[in-house]
Amino acid sequence: MIDFMTTDYASRLTSLREQISKANLDGFFVPMADEYQSEYVPASAQRIEFLCGFTGSAGFVIVLKNKAVFFTDGRYTLQAGQQLDKHLFDIYDGAAKSPSEWLAENAKAGMHIGYDPWLHTEDEIGRLKKAAAKVEAEIVPVAKNPVDVIWNDRPAPPISPVYGHDLAYAGKSSADKRTSIADDLKKKGIKAAVITDPASVAWLLNVRGSDVPNTPLPLSFAILNDDASTQWFVDPRKLTTGLQNHLGNAVKPEDPDQFGMALDALGQSGALVRIDTAEAASWIVERLLKANAKLDKGDDPSALPRACKNPVEIEGMKSAHRRDGASLVKFFTWLTEVAPSGEVSEMLAEEKLAEFRAKNRLYRGPSFNTISGAGPNGAIVHYRATNETNRKIKAGEFYLLDSGGQYMDGTTDVTRTTAIGQVSGEMRDRFTRVLKGHIALAMARFPEGSTGADLDVLARQYLWAAGIDYNHGTGHGVGSYLGVHEGPQSISRRSKVAFKPGMILSNEPGYYKNGSYGIRIENLVVVTEVEIPGGERKTYGFETITLCPIDRNAIDITMLNEVEREWLNDYHTRVRESLAPMLDPAEVAWLDRATAAI
């Protein structure tokens, strides 16, 4: 828990209000965002952490003269309650009340509330403006972010080296990717597409970097023209020797300071320009409009091709998961030996897993901050162990470990919940209901055109039958040596994107009992076409690519039907046969026990 005596967040909030008042404003929005609208932002953009101490990846703060409110999603509500000073901030779950809804209820007529146009998408600002208009308040852009004014020791923006991503891992050249998308733009009469998502830029140009923690991204923008030529707006200090040869002559790196003028030129040319207003910063859209650009508002044209992995990427992901699975077995072999002592802490376990992964070929670091939660800490969905919260792994409790690795040939994300000794009947019941939902989703067959919203209920049905649920999506897209969270595909009640072959997603239902324990079982799956004898429609299914035993000791076997037992036994057989060649005799012995048939 944050020690509010160590950091004076009250003074920071007071200083921010002083700056807001100097700007003749009545309030200000502080989102968890950078100018690229990234999910994970560099230290220089961690304005919410600076202002209130929250360290999660999803947050939104509204500061008025006499009130400050914080919004997050179901993954972080418990964490927010621990990290924020509730005397300073009211905390809301954004699913129950959104910032726009709160604004419509609490803003007053005549108020002027400021926002940094680089830190909000055009669509988000549209919602906030609509809410403010209901009470005759106004949302106005500011040229200088007042948080930055008071943040005296703000870190400098990252300038990590950018390097080429080899064709052996990418599977398709940048020229081929750019030509394919450019041809599609040309058919639609679109002259250029402004690409604002750094993951799309990295995929399109076959480059990687390290500007963002745990994600191999160079932060940059690009403009893709209908002839496949590309202007790439990237800090020149990031460019490494030989990178231009990798890029080719059709890709022209330019200083980021030239980006605004390039947008002006697009507008002045009268060209039709594709822009994703749900992803692009409001500043970019407004700059185009001021230049009289004709906007084709639509999806980032790189997003769907990036999501549908090619055969080389899929094989790379499978290879990465085999090596990653071996590391996990080594870890759990170690944990089984030392956990009974009661002296293993969450942080020690996290460090030990990192040691095993670091020995792997092509390993480049974690894909996100490891969630190592023992007992009640496992109920905090995106928990991060600290010196203040570090807990020993004790008998009679669940230990939840959610972790992943970045490998040059793929990205992993896996969660396992382990029973330490004997656990209660309720805990076994809940674990088995989560497992049944996981299996139901893994075995699903669905017609072409199905979305994550169509399948989400499969993972929740056994929890719902007991009157319980979980407050996060069931699955997210995963990149290939890119972001561990990747759109546009997902498995949730709100997902509207149809599944296509090659998409990789997580399958991760869970259950969380506040103050007691948390359960999550997560594997990654790839969408594949399935041949069904006599079938009349194109049908898809999921191939599970994560390889790690699911704790048999936590299962109430009487709750599994024959089909579910067969799935689990088949999965464990594949895990054992795939991983055993990479393990020593003691680890093979543990794996044999962990994957024995039930």
Side-chain angles (χ1 to χ4, degrees), residues 23-353:
N24 295 317
L25 297 171
D26 300 290
F28 190 72
F29 300 133
V30 186
M32 180 68 72
D34 61 7
E35 57 266 48
Y36 305 95
Q37 304 303 309
S38 306
E39 178 181 13
Y40 300 111
V41 301
S44 57
Q46 292 282 357
R47 295 176 178 87
I48 284 183
E49 182 177 356
F50 166 78
L51 187 63
C52 64
F54 177 73
T55 59
S57 65
F60 193 100
V61 174
I62 302 177
V63 178
L64 302 181
K65 289 182 177 179
N66 58 358
K67 184 182 288 290
V69 290
F70 174 87
F71 302 85
T72 190
D73 60 36
R75 299 171 297 168
Y76 291 115
T77 49
L78 290 178
Q79 179 177 332
Q82 293 181 352
Q83 290 188 321
L84 272 69
D85 187 338
K86 296 177 184 177
H87 295 97
L88 301 177
F89 297 89
D90 295 336
I91 301 172
Y92 289 92
D93 183 337
K97 187 179 294 294
S98 70
S100 297
E101 291 169 334
W102 187 92
L103 193 66
E105 295 171 0
N106 292 273
K108 306 299 182 185
M111 274 188 170
H112 290 79
I113 302 174
Y115 68 93
D116 184 335
W118 276 111
L119 303 183
H120 302 263
T121 68
E122 183 73 3
D123 286 3
E124 181 181 49
I125 288 302
R127 292 190 293 270
L128 292 168
K129 285 183 176 179
K130 185 177 180 180
K134 291 180 179 179
V135 292
E136 299 182 351
E138 189 176 354
I139 307 301
V140 296
V142 300
K144 182 66 176 178
N145 191 310
V147 176
D148 297 350
V149 174
I150 67 170
W151 193 356
N152 295 323
D153 57 349
R154 181 186 172 205
I159 50 169
S160 301
V162 180
Y163 50 90
H165 186 50
D166 197 272
L167 188 61
Y169 307 125
K172 190 174 183 179
S173 71
S174 172
D176 286 345
K177 294 176 181 180
R178 288 183 284 106
T179 298
S180 177
I181 295 173
D183 287 347
D184 188 56
L185 293 175
K186 187 178 293 185
K187 290 176 184 176
K188 297 174 181 176
I190 300 170
K191 184 65 178 176
V194 180
I195 310 296
T196 63
D197 182 348
S200 286
V201 177
W203 174 85
L204 187 67
L205 302 183
N206 282 347
V207 295
R208 298 294 188 268
S210 56
D211 284 342
V212 180
N214 305 324
T215 308
L217 292 178
L219 296 177
S220 59
F221 298 116
I223 296 176
L224 173 65
N225 300 302
D226 66 356
D227 63 356
S229 65
T230 302
Q231 295 168 270
W232 182 28
F233 300 92
V234 58
D235 191 316
R237 293 174 293 177
K238 299 179 184 180
L239 305 181
T240 53
T241 302
L243 183 61
Q244 188 61 59
N245 290 333
H246 171 81
L247 295 170
N249 294 331
V251 177
K252 181 183 178 184
E254 297 188 29
D255 193 287
D257 290 342
Q258 304 298 309
F259 185 48
M261 287 181 282
L263 298 176
D264 293 343
L266 284 176
Q268 292 160 6
S269 71
L272 183 62
V273 180
R274 165 64 63 87
I275 185 76
D276 189 339
T277 57
E279 298 291 337
S282 174
W283 186 95
I284 297 171
V285 178
E286 293 303 315
R287 183 76 177 236
L288 285 166
L289 290 173
K290 287 178 182 177
N292 296 315
K294 299 175 183 177
L295 300 188
D296 177 71
K297 298 181 180 180
D299 296 335
D300 174 347
S302 300
L304 191 57
R306 171 165 54 97
C308 298
K309 308 298 183 288
N310 63 53
V312 170
E313 290 174 314
I314 292 172
E315 185 51 44
M317 289 288 278
K318 290 179 178 180
S319 296
H321 278 82
R322 285 192 289 270
R323 297 191 303 276
D324 201 64
S327 295
L328 285 162
V329 169
K330 292 174 182 291
F331 167 80
F332 282 116
T333 302
W334 169 84
L335 185 67
T336 300
E337 294 173 354
V338 300
S341 70
E343 295 302 313
V344 179
S345 70
E346 296 166 334
M347 293 180 72
L348 175 60
E350 178 180 341
E351 291 166 3
K352 195 68 178 180
L353 177 57

Side-chain angles (χ1 to χ4, degrees), residues 441-486:
L441 188 56
M443 295 181 65
R445 298 292 181 263
F446 43 93
E448 182 181 27
S450 298
T451 71
D454 297 321
L455 303 188
D456 184 74
V457 64
L458 296 178
R460 299 178 189 269
Q461 58 182 312
Y462 302 104
L463 295 168
W464 286 0
I468 54 181
D469 201 358
Y470 51 94
N471 294 325
H472 59 73
T474 300
H476 56 82
V478 180
S480 175
Y481 190 40
L482 278 173
V484 73
H485 292 161
E486 176 181 89

